[in-house]
Amino acid sequence: MNAGETQRAPWIVGVSGASGTPYAAAVLRALLAAGEAVDLVVSRASRLTLLDETGISFRDAHWEDDLREWLARGADGKPGTFDVDVRGVRYWNAGDLAAGPSSGSYPAKGMLIVPASTACVSGVALGLSKDLLQRAASVTLKERRTLVVAVRETPLNGQTLRHLVALDDAGASVVPASPAFYAGATHIQDLVDFVAGRVLDAAGVGHDLYRRWHGELGGGRPDR
């Protein structure tokens, strides 16, 4: 790096196999809109979920085209809803345990796991490193960086709840993918954006994804 050049410090975004790929897309779009650099890790299981929920096959050799198609799609499945520039994204294969995010010396602001499956939650809570997603999360915790885990599952059993408590104790922010309705949602995208916005709030990243509460009852009514 040349003198005076700013070192790239990305947010690592891990996408696990839980249902909820629109949440990940909304977070990615908002990070890029905020001018943030992104390192993307897509688990093997999440590729199956992405295919099931969107019809998109995420391929290593064509990841930029596939990512662009994915992020352009609205939460209702309509293609071409968003115009997204993905040049701020660096992609790492989930099986690459020699990737940059696998090391604490790799510069990163933190990590967002969205959506987080219960298997992912368990692996991170137990300190496993079966793939790059889990390894990067473990590194994030040990380096005392921001880790946000957007768990998407219902109901939650005792074992998963204990793992979530362990993550909280380790310094992670647990953000359930639970939309609120006070923001005046009129479309499925509004509900998705609320969850994505709360994930970004936990990471301290600015956005305008949802209407915030200002103490005015009835402020979310669609006729206002």
Side-chain angles (χ1 to χ4, degrees):
M1 184 172 65
N2 297 328
E5 182 181 344
T6 302
Q7 186 179 52
R8 181 180 182 275
W11 284 99
I12 302 167
V13 176
V15 185
S16 80
S19 176
T21 55
Y23 293 129
V27 166
L28 288 165
R29 284 193 299 265
L31 285 172
L32 294 173
E36 299 284 352
V38 173
D39 277 21
L40 178 63
V41 182
V42 178
S43 76
R44 291 180 60 187
S46 69
R47 296 178 190 232
L48 299 177
T49 307
L50 182 63
L51 179 63
D52 184 52
E53 295 184 345
T54 70
I56 297 171
S57 297
F58 197 89
R59 303 161 294 175
D60 288 342
H62 304 281
W63 71 266
E64 286 182 278
D65 291 336
D66 297 336
L67 178 63
R68 190 178 295 108
E69 181 183 1
W70 175 24
L71 299 191
R73 193 175 295 257
D76 59 0
K78 183 179 179 181
T81 301
F82 299 98
D83 183 16
V84 184
D85 185 349
V86 300
R87 287 179 292 180
V89 179
R90 184 173 185 179
Y91 169 70
W92 300 97
N93 183 286
D96 185 3
L97 291 177
S102 68
S103 172
S105 66
Y106 183 77
K109 291 183 177 180
M111 183 173 185
L112 317 176
I113 306 178
V114 53
S117 66
T118 54
C120 173
V121 166
S122 299
V124 176
L126 294 172
L128 305 181
S129 296
K130 75 168 190 177
D131 61 9
L132 180 60
L133 195 159
Q134 290 185 2
R135 173 59 186 169
S138 179
V139 167
T140 300
L141 287 176
K142 81 179 183 70
E143 295 295 325
R144 301 295 191 267
R145 295 170 183 158
T146 297
L147 175 64
V148 182
V149 179
V151 60
R152 214 304 309 162
E153 184 59 88
T154 189
L156 296 171
N157 63 27
Q159 185 178 49
T160 298
L161 290 169
R162 286 188 287 273
H163 287 149
L164 290 172
V165 170
L167 289 177
D168 179 77
D169 289 343
S173 293
V174 177
V175 181
S178 302
F181 295 86
Y182 62 77
T186 59
H187 190 275
I188 186 175
Q189 189 67 55
D190 300 325
L191 298 175
V192 168
D193 284 348
F194 179 88
V195 172
R198 296 300 287 153
V199 169
L200 294 171
D201 288 346
V205 177
H207 65 86
D208 58 358
L209 287 176
Y210 69 89
R211 171 189 170 277
R212 297 183 181 277
W213 175 251
H214 293 292
E216 179 186 1
L217 289 175
R221 292 202 313 266
D223 59 338
R224 291 179 65 87

